[in-house]
């Protein structure tokens, strides 16, 4: 009897596992990245697209599915990679899509196959991670639904997807030359904000009651499908899930829908305690799900407005139309669009951010203590007589010719620019409220080696830039992990009992991107349980280009064999020719 019961239990468990495996699917995509003419804001420019599309194709999958993307580089003169933002790449660190970190850049006319599992549901996106190709348009949405048989912890009747970005008329090559020049040339503010790749430069849809605005909108719709205003069709008295992600190069944003409340339910692929707001702030690298109920006047359409936060807004808001059916989509809302809050009202931004908490029953609590604390001072510096850099603990990150993952896995220490261990902290006497007393900096790898399964705290410390009374917003993104945002503080982090007491160990949110506000600090905690080499950096494109990042190397000895195509460059290519062991061309 006991043996029969044991057999039945084992058979049942085996069947459940078999069904779970059978339910997951491999979803195949064949993409070619290429330059093409496009008019994102009605001004024709060159963008980087995928399969002739901008933004790139949306990937939709279910939790547990395997994504397989055969990516051909159709650019004629430069490499390319794609980072799958928010996907943890458990067991596949070479598929993270970070040039010089997790893989070699894919050469022109070559193909690389990304193969990875999307292990949890959420709102994600993908983008280029080579040079500043994200700013040139290389991005798209990646949405992961719950697995079959699972349910979201909230109900809705329909879904809308908003991918937000900013757009420059100056090419990324001109931008990069300016950022690396002496004298320094800043990229300035974007010419347009885009919703799902569409905006209107020098054309105000906001004054909907004026003939000029209506003609502008009509011209965009009839004359150029690339920049026609986005229309979001909805039915009255329904609840919609708005998935919102920001892949901006520079701009921090605020999103509002006229006359409608928004209930935040997800952040960066993790459920949060629901809370209702009039608008949301969204920084580069962030993603949210908000619920919207269409309970307003059914005879009208409503504006969706996206404006600039955290910087002086020299770029007009982007507008889309929430179209209550059966109203005509072309019927522009008569009401004035929602006003973007004052760009420097940081108290308001903090009030929103501090309300984001882990959802009870969905978000595991963080470990009670940490094994290591790393404090990262964010400063703007000068190097070599005038080149402007962003530095972390006075070291500006440079990326090597040999990807870190390959170099560390194969023990090629000579491939790194420095063997010096980066500092875990900075001097307590540093005055974060003033420009650096010594603005000089150096360059380095910024590789932090983390013990396997260690619990790591990171304190991101903001400071004054080179100019007086200037401290910028920095959204930091961690690859390969989610982290708990333990808390925020004003001024310098002291690490004393007061700072520690301010940390939230009860219900902090899990995120993969966190903001540091001007002259403040943000503390996060994560477990180094994902063997690989992972970037941790400011998600503002020019700031990363200027060195604002570090590398976390975790248990690289536990990483499986590396695909040859991922590491066949630099010193690893030489090692491979000498007989170094890695896997074949396919993952």
């Amino acid at each position: 009897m006991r043996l029969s019961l044991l057999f039945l239990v084992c058979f049942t468990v085996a069947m459940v596992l078999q069904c779970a495996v059978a339910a997951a699917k491999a979803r195949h995509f064949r993409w070619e990245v290429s330059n093409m003419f496009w008019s994102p804001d009605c001004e024709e420019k060159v963008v980087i697209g995928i399969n002739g599309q901008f933004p790139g194709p949306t990937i939709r999958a279910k939790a547990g599915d395997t994504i397989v993307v055969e990516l051909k580089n159709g650019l004629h003169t430069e490499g390319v990679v794609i980072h799958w933002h928010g996907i943890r790449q458990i067991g596949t660190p070479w598929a993270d899509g970070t040039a010089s970190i997790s893989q070699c850049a894919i050469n022109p006319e070559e193909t690389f196959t990304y193969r990875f599992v999307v292990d949890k549901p959420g709102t994600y996106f993908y983008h280029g991670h080579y040079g500043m190709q994200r700013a040139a348009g290389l991005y798209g949405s990646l949405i992961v639904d719950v697995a079959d048989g699972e349910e979201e912890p909230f109900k809705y009747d329909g879904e809308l997807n908003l991918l937000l970005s900013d757009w420059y008329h100056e090419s990324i090559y001109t931008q990069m030359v300016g950022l690396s020049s002496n004298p320094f040339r800043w990229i300035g503010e974007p010419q347009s904000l885009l919703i799902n790749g569409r905006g209107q430069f020098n054309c105000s849809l906001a004054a909907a009651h004026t003939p000029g605005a209506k003609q502008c909108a009509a011209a965009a719709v009839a004359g150029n499908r690339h920049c026609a205003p986005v229309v979001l069709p909805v039915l009255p008295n329904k609840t919609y899930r708005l998935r919102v992600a920001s892949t901006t190069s520079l701009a921090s944003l605020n999103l509002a829908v006229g006359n409608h409340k928004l209930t935040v339910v997800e952040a960066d692929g993790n459920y949060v305690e629901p809370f209702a707001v009039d608008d949301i702030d969204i920084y580069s690298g962030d993603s949210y799900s908000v619920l919207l109920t269409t309970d307003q006047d059914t005879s009208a359409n409503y504006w969706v407005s996206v404006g600039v936060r955290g910087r002086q807004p020299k770029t007009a808001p982007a507008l889309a139309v929430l179209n209550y059916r059966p109203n005509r989509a072309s019927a522009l809302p008569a009401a004035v669009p929602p006003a973007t809050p004052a760009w420097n009202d940081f108290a308001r931004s903090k009030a929103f951010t501090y309300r984001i908490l882990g959802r009870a029953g969905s978000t595991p609590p963080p470990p009670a203590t940490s094994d290591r604390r790393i404090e990262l001072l964010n400063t703007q510096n000068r190097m070599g007589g005038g080149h402007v850099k962003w530095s972390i603990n006075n070291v500006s990150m440079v990326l090597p010719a040999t990807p870190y993952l390959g170099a560390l896995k194969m023990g090629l220490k000579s491939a790194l620019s420095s063997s010096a261990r980066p500092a875990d902290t900075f001097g307590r006497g540093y005055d974060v409220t003033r420009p650096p007393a010594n603005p000089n900096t150096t360059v380095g790898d910024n590789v932090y080696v983390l013990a396997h399964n260690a619990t790591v705290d990171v304190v991101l410390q903001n400071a004054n830039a080179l100019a007086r009374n200037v401290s910028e917003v920095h959204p930091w993104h961690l690859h390969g992990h989610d982290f708990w945002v333990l808390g925020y503080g004003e001024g310098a982090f002291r690490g004393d009992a007061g700072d520690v007491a301010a940390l939230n160990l009860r219900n902090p949110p899990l995120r993969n991107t966190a903001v540091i506000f001007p002259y403040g600090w943000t503390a996060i905690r994560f477990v180094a349980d994902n063997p690989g080499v992972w970037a941790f950096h400011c998600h503002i494109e020019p700031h990363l280009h200027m060195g604002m990042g570090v590398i976390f190397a975790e248990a690289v000895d536990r990483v499986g064999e590396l695909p040859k195509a991922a590491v066949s460059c630099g010193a690893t290519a030489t090692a491979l020719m000498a007989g170094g062991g890695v896997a074949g061309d396919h993952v």
Side-chain angles (χ1 to χ4, degrees), residues 30 40 257 310 435:
R30 184 169 293 174
V257 181

Side-chain angles (χ1 to χ4, degrees), residues 82-424:
I82 288 185
H83 169 55
W84 315 96
H85 187 106
I87 305 302
R88 295 180 293 180
Q89 300 295 346
I90 298 172
T92 52
W94 50 81
D96 190 46
T98 47
S100 296
I101 301 171
S102 64
Q103 70 169 110
C104 304
I106 307 164
N107 291 324
E109 298 305 315
E110 291 186 350
T111 297
F112 180 82
T113 299
Y114 290 98
R115 185 189 302 268
F116 55 90
V117 174
V118 287
D119 62 300
K120 63 188 182 68
T123 304
Y124 308 104
F125 59 99
Y126 61 84
H127 59 80
H129 216 294
Y130 179 80
M132 289 177 59
Q133 290 177 347
R134 170 161 57 96
L138 184 51
Y139 49 76
S141 293
L142 196 170
I143 296 171
V144 182
D145 294 308
V146 294
D148 289 336
E150 302 291 331
E151 291 185 356
E152 305 274 14
F154 44 82
K155 302 292 185 182
Y156 54 96
D157 303 301
E159 186 174 305
L160 301 166
N161 188 34
L162 299 177
L163 185 61
L164 310 181
S165 54
D166 48 14
W167 183 247
Y168 286 82
H169 289 176
E170 192 172 65
S171 77
I172 59 170
Y173 311 105
T174 303
Q175 292 181 44
M176 288 189 290
V177 170
L179 293 172
S180 303
S181 292
N182 186 6
F184 175 72
R185 296 186 185 183
W186 176 238
I187 66 171
E189 303 302 309
Q191 277 63 63
S192 306
L193 302 179
L194 307 181
I195 300 174
N196 293 348
R198 300 183 188 184
Q200 296 79 40
F201 173 64
N202 200 24
C203 169
S204 176
L205 296 177
H209 57 279
T210 66
K214 291 186 178 181
Q215 290 169 7
C216 163
V221 172
N224 195 331
R225 63 180 178 85
H226 294 170
C227 61
V230 170
V231 174
L232 305 172
V234 294
L235 295 174
N237 300 311
K238 301 289 185 181
T239 296
Y240 288 86
R241 179 182 189 168
L242 274 63
R243 295 183 183 267
V244 188
S246 174
T247 184
T248 54
S249 174
L250 174 68
S252 302
L253 303 174
N254 177 270
L255 179 141
V257 181
N259 285 21
H260 290 75
K261 286 281 189 181
L262 305 174
T263 300
V264 182
V265 294
E266 178 217 342
D268 295 352
N270 295 286
Y271 301 126
V272 301
E273 281 296 331
F275 63 97
V277 289
D278 294 322
D279 53 76
I280 65 170
D281 282 346
I282 181 166
Y283 302 95
S284 180
D286 283 346
S287 65
Y288 291 100
S289 284
V290 298
L291 301 182
L292 175 149
T293 300
T294 51
D295 54 5
Q296 298 301 303
D297 180 0
T298 60
S299 67
N301 290 335
Y302 299 87
W303 290 116
V304 178
S305 179
V306 177
V308 172
R309 298 281 274 133
R311 305 182 65 87
Q312 293 227 20
K314 300 176 182 178
T315 309
L319 296 172
V321 176
L322 187 72
N323 172 214
Y324 270 57
R325 293 291 176 87
N327 301 331
R328 289 181 296 110
S330 59
L332 297 184
V336 175
T340 303
W343 70 272
N344 57 354
D345 186 353
F346 291 111
R348 195 177 192 281
S349 296
K350 293 172 185 177
F352 169 76
T353 301
Y354 298 171
R355 293 185 69 183
I356 302 171
L357 300 170
R359 184 173 182 126
S362 299
T363 306
T369 59
S370 65
D371 302 304
R372 183 177 179 183
R373 185 169 74 202
I374 300 172
E375 299 170 359
L376 302 179
L377 175 67
N378 294 231
T379 55
Q380 192 180 51
N381 299 84
R382 294 189 184 277
M383 188 181 69
H387 294 277
V388 177
K389 297 289 184 182
W390 283 99
S391 298
I392 305 303
N393 294 351
N394 208 42
V395 179
S396 184
M397 184 177 72
V398 293
L399 295 176
T402 305
Y404 289 116
L405 181 60
L408 295 174
K409 173 69 174 174
M410 301 174 72
L412 304 175
K413 294 182 179 179
S414 61
L416 304 179
S417 66
S418 172
S419 59
R421 175 181 174 178
D424 273 18

Side-chain angles (χ1 to χ4, degrees), residues 406-454:
L408 295 174
K409 173 69 174 174
M410 301 174 72
L412 304 175
K413 294 182 179 179
S414 61
L416 304 179
S417 66
S418 172
S419 59
R421 175 181 174 178
D424 273 18
T425 188
F426 56 92
R428 284 280 180 254
Y430 190 95
D431 188 348
V432 301
T433 66
R434 298 174 181 271
N438 178 6
N440 295 322
T441 190
T442 186
V443 296
D445 296 305
N446 278 358
V447 177
Y448 288 85
V449 178
L450 306 180
H452 184 48
N453 284 328

Side-chain angles (χ1 to χ4, degrees), residues 484-549:
W484 291 273
V485 184
L486 299 185
Y488 308 84
E490 307 291 335
F493 178 80
R494 302 176 301 277
D496 58 17
D499 283 344
V500 173
L503 301 181
N504 174 16
L505 298 179
R506 184 173 61 88
N507 60 347
L510 272 173
R511 304 291 304 262
N512 60 58
T513 304
V515 61
I516 27 173
F517 292 108
Y519 300 110
W521 54 265
T522 299
I524 68 171
R525 177 171 292 176
F526 70 98
V527 179
D529 57 359
N530 191 9
V533 179
W534 309 107
F536 184 43
H537 61 89
C538 178
H539 208 260
I540 292 175
E541 193 81 311
H543 289 183
L544 174 59
H545 185 74
M546 295 161 66
M548 198 171 193

